[in-house]
């Protein structure tokens, strides 16, 4: 059996895996000794309908991707976030001006981001293996058996394949409905998070045009299938009823997509020489758009932790990985708790609890001392 030895094997070529490969390539003396395993980028689907899949990246993630030379050409800035609760008083407005930042975040098309990252990786010197990555066997070194039976080994294997981690698990009995809509009276740079009794409803600025918005609508699984099957006019009416008239008339201009929502989180360390990042470490509810941002912070901090080892890969790697796992606990814990609690607290039939949530929104709006820490966590998380 033939065997190939690398310094680092990255298993999964989604956004987090590609960003991690780029980041490590920037600090590695020999980028070609980093291997990124994952299938070739699929061609974009043809058709006239806009793709509703979009990603809200906070300002911290944007700055990091810009530094890596992997920021897409088209993005829609988020300057303010309007948070409200359907059927109750109370709202808060988070504005970039009070945080001394040019923007709170940006919205990019998923396909644009992934394509930009893949092109950057192709120019980075990182070795690419265009096949689905196998599961690693922890050890010194870590071993992976490829599809042709050959053996790949590396002291460090990084799981970024999106396979759900084992550990904490929670189902929300919600599906997310994705669509793109055109607004009659758009508000440039403003994103909306509206809490309804079925789950959060977000409208995010769309990178393709200033009057377009990405819809992420969390509802029961049965309601999601009903919404997906509706004709555009019926969908528009249902969305208008749930969201209100802040943007005037809303018209769907894309197909609908749905996916189930759940929380899964496991340990960062998966054995000797094996670390999970991104969705391989945690999958979150999409409220507040924190999932990919948390994964990118995983990648940034992991790069910082293993950079000294990359200059001397003959040294043991496990102490650096254990230090990394300890450093990530606070950020992971805060973000997981926030995204887990918010959709469950607001999606309630209890009138007292709903009134309390409304009062909390009022307090956030009136008291910057409460609002700013929350805004900074959403904008950049817990960073080095």
């Amino acid at each position: 059996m033939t065997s190939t030895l690398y310094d680092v094997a990255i298993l999964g070529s989604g956004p987090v895996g590609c960003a991690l490969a780029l980041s490590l390539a920037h600090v590695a003396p020999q980028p070609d000794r980093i291997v990124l395993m994952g299938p070739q980028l699929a061609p974009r689907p043809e058709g006239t309908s806009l793709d509703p899949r979009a990603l809200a990246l906070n300002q911290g993630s944007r700055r990091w991707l810009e530094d890596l030379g992997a920021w897409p050409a088209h993005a829609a800035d988020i300057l303010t976030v309007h948070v409200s609760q359907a059927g109750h008083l109370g709202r808060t407005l988070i504005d970039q001006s009070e945080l001394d930042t040019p923007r709170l975040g940006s919205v990019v098309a998923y396909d644009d981001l992934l394509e930009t990252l893949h092109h950057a990786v192709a120019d980075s010197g990182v070795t690419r293996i265009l096949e689905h990555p196998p599961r690693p066997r922890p050890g010194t070194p870590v071993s992976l058996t490829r599809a042709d039976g050959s053996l790949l080994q590396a002291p460090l294997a990084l799981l970024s394949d999106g396979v759900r981690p084992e550990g904490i698990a929670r189902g929300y009995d919600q599906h997310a409905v994705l669509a793109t809509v055109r607004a009659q009276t758009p508000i440039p740079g403003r994103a909306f998070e509206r809490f309804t009794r079925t789950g959060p409803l977000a409208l995010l600025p769309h990178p393709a045009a200033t009057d377009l918005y990405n819809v992420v609508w969390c509802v029961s699984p049965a309601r999601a299938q009903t919404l997906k099957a509706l004709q555009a006019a019926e969908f528009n009416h249902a969305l208008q009823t749930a969201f209100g008239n802040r943007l005037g008339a809303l018209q769907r201009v894309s197909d609908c997509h749905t996916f189930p929502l759940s929380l899964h989180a496991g340990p960062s360390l998966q054995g000797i020489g094996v670390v999970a990042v991104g969705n391989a470490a945690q999958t979150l509810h999409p409220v507040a758009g924190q999932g990919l941002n948390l994964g990118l912070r995983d990648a940034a901090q992991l790069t910082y932790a293993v950079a000294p080892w990359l200059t001397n890969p003959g040294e043991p790697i496990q102490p650096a990985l254990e230090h990394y796992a300890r450093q990530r606990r606070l950020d992971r814990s805060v973000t997981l708790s926030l995204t887990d609690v918010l959709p469950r607290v607001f999606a309630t039939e209890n009138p007292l609890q709903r009134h309390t949530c409304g009062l909390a929104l009022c307090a956030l709006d009136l008291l910057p001392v409460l609002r700013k820490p929350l805004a900074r966590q959403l904008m950049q998380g817990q960073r080095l």
Side-chain angles (χ1 to χ4, degrees):
M1 177 185 294
T2 60
S3 176
T4 307
L5 180 66
Y6 293 92
D7 292 336
V8 183
I10 302 173
L11 311 179
S13 56
V16 172
C18 286
L20 182 55
L22 283 175
S23 183
L24 291 173
H26 275 64
V27 299
Q30 295 178 277
D32 62 328
R33 291 189 59 79
I34 300 168
V35 60
L36 175 64
M37 298 186 70
Q40 188 169 1
L41 189 65
R44 295 198 186 204
E46 297 181 359
T48 57
S49 177
L50 286 167
D51 189 336
R53 293 175 299 170
L55 300 167
L57 295 171
N58 63 32
Q59 180 63 6
S61 294
R62 174 169 179 159
R63 284 199 308 264
W64 190 60
L65 289 173
E66 286 176 334
D67 289 343
L68 295 178
W71 185 249
H74 302 289
D77 284 350
I78 298 175
L79 306 179
T80 59
V81 178
H82 182 282
V83 185
S84 63
Q85 183 181 199
H88 287 268
L89 295 176
R91 71 99 170 114
T92 191
L93 196 66
I94 301 173
D95 192 283
Q96 47 84 216
S97 61
E98 67 179 6
L99 296 173
D100 192 27
T101 182
R103 62 188 68 81
L104 298 173
S106 306
V107 182
V108 298
Y110 176 87
D111 288 340
D112 282 350
L113 176 63
L114 192 57
E115 186 175 277
T116 302
L117 284 164
H118 273 255
H119 287 163
V121 168
D123 296 331
S124 69
V126 168
T127 300
R128 285 286 278 120
I129 294 181
L130 301 176
E131 63 184 52
H132 287 283
R135 301 305 289 175
R137 296 188 297 278
T140 308
V142 179
S143 297
L144 306 102
T145 302
R146 296 182 54 187
D148 62 2
S150 63
L151 191 66
L152 187 153
Q153 294 183 310
L156 178 57
L158 307 177
L159 290 173
S160 59
D161 54 7
V163 175
R164 285 179 173 174
E166 295 182 0
I168 300 171
R170 185 194 301 280
Y172 294 103
D173 195 29
Q174 293 178 1
H175 283 203
V177 179
L178 307 183
T180 302
V181 299
R182 176 167 281 113
Q184 181 184 26
T185 55
I187 303 176
R190 179 162 296 183
F192 296 85
E193 187 85 65
R194 185 160 175 79
F195 290 99
T196 75
R197 297 189 183 187
T198 64
L201 166 59
L203 268 70
L204 308 173
H206 196 290
T210 57
D211 63 344
L212 294 178
Y213 285 83
N214 298 102
V215 175
V216 184
W217 192 356
C218 302
V219 295
S220 70
R223 179 63 170 160
Q225 295 308 310
T226 298
L227 290 170
K228 184 178 180 180
L230 292 178
Q231 296 297 316
E234 297 170 312
F235 181 91
N236 297 341
H237 176 74
L239 178 61
Q240 200 85 57
T241 300
F243 179 74
N245 298 310
R246 292 174 179 80
L247 297 173
L250 301 172
Q251 294 185 328
R252 196 185 79 195
V253 293
S254 76
D255 296 330
C256 284
H257 296 259
T258 64
F259 64 92
L261 303 179
S262 58
L263 165 67
H264 295 270
S268 296
L269 295 185
Q270 299 285 310
I272 300 298
V274 181
V275 179
V277 296
N279 283 349
Q282 63 269 320
T283 59
L284 312 181
H285 193 286
V287 65
Q290 292 299 296
L292 178 55
N293 291 294
L294 182 61
L296 293 176
R297 296 199 295 274
D298 288 344
Q301 199 155 344
L302 184 57
T303 299
Y304 184 84
V306 304
W309 173 82
L310 280 171
T311 64
N312 188 10
E315 294 294 318
I317 183 60
Q318 201 65 17
L321 302 184
E322 292 172 357
H323 178 66
Y324 160 81
R326 289 192 298 270
Q327 284 191 312
R328 292 303 296 143
R329 282 175 189 160
L330 176 61
D331 192 22
R332 294 184 72 210
S333 177
V334 171
T335 307
L336 265 67
S337 297
L338 183 68
T339 58
D340 180 44
V341 169
L342 282 177
R344 293 191 293 116
V345 166
F346 279 91
T348 177
E349 296 295 332
N350 186 318
L352 179 60
Q353 187 171 323
R354 294 186 63 81
H355 283 299
T356 302
C357 290
L359 290 174
L361 291 176
C362 286
L364 285 173
D365 196 52
L366 294 172
L367 300 173
V369 70
L370 298 178
R371 184 173 64 252
K372 286 185 178 181
L374 174 62
R376 290 198 182 280
Q377 171 65 30
L378 297 177
M379 187 178 70
Q380 64 183 32
Q382 304 291 321
R383 292 178 174 268
L384 292 174

